[in-house]
């Protein structure tokens, strides 16, 4: 009889302790994206008809030195237009976010992190914007997004596909 009670007691204790692990504290897991992310660095890539600007211009008769200078000019122009210095993004656990510049809210809306944390979609009054999440840790977030426009890049009367790719590094 004692042996049966002893075995029953051990079995009950094992069931109790296995159901109370540290990982199961009743609180939902918080996504690593939740928090305040500050701008760290960015990279811009511009392609014209799937070529770098300088390759495109050289193929269309431009001097290689002039083509390289024009490519540098466009990259600096785009980076300055973005002007993310002093920017931060706040992602809340309830699925809302805000984009701030020097602490002042510039935009807000909702976000969704999907595809195993590899896609981030933010939605605001300007509509949805989908980004690739290249890296997401507790203190680093690297996002990538692209845009494409059709325009006559070199004023020769022919439309060109101009692609802009952005990679933005953020840190907590």
């Amino acid at each position: 009889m004692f042996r049966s009670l002893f075995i029953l007691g051990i079995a009950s204790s094992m069931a109790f302790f296995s159901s109370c692990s540290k990982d199961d504290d009743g609180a939902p897991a918080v996504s690593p994206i939740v928090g305040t992310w500050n701008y760290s660095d960015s990279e811009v890539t511009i392609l014209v008809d799937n070529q770098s600007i300088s390759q495109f211009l050289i193929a269309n008769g431009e001097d290689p030195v002039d083509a390289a200078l024009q490519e540098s000019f466009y990259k600096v122009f785009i980076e300055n237009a973005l002007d993310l210095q002093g920017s931060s993004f706040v992602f809340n656990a309830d699925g809302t976010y805000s984009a701030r510049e020097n602490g002042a809210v510039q935009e807000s809306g909702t976000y969704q992190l999907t595809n195993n944390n590899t896609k981030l979609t933010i939605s605001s009054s300007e509509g949805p914007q989908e980004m690739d999440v290249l890296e997401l840790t507790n203190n680093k977030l690297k996002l990538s997004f692209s845009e494409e426009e059709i325009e006559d890049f070199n004023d020769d009367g022919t439309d060109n596909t101009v692609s802009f790719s952005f990679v933005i590094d953020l840190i907590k």
Side-chain angles (χ1 to χ4, degrees), residues 33-37 84 87-101 103-113 120-131 141 143 145 170:
I33 200 167
V34 172
T36 300
W37 296 91
L84 294 172
S87 296
S88 63
F89 299 86
V90 179
F91 293 97
N92 301 305
D94 66 357
T96 60
Y97 83 96
S98 60
R100 300 166 186 246
E101 187 176 313
V105 174
Q106 301 296 312
E107 178 181 298
S108 62
T110 60
Y111 75 91
Q112 285 187 306
L113 192 59
L120 174 65
T121 303
I122 60 172
S123 298
S124 68
S125 60
E126 296 181 18
Q129 170 75 45
E130 187 172 286
M131 296 176 242
L141 175 59
L143 300 172
F145 61 98
L170 303 164

Side-chain angles (χ1 to χ4, degrees), residues 2-3 17 36 57 69 75 103 105 109 116-117 127 135 142 155 171:
F2 175 76
R3 186 168 187 252
F17 288 116
T36 300
L57 293 173
L69 286 171
K75 283 186 174 184
V105 174
N116 230 10
N117 292 345
E135 184 176 351
K142 182 177 269 200
D155 296 325
I171 55 173

Side-chain angles (χ1 to χ4, degrees), residues 42 52 71 77 79 83 95 100-101 114 124 140 148 151:
S42 63
S52 69
E71 182 168 21
F77 178 79
E79 287 172 352
D83 191 23
R100 300 166 186 246
E101 187 176 313
T114 58
S124 68
K140 186 171 183 185
E148 198 171 90
E151 64 181 68

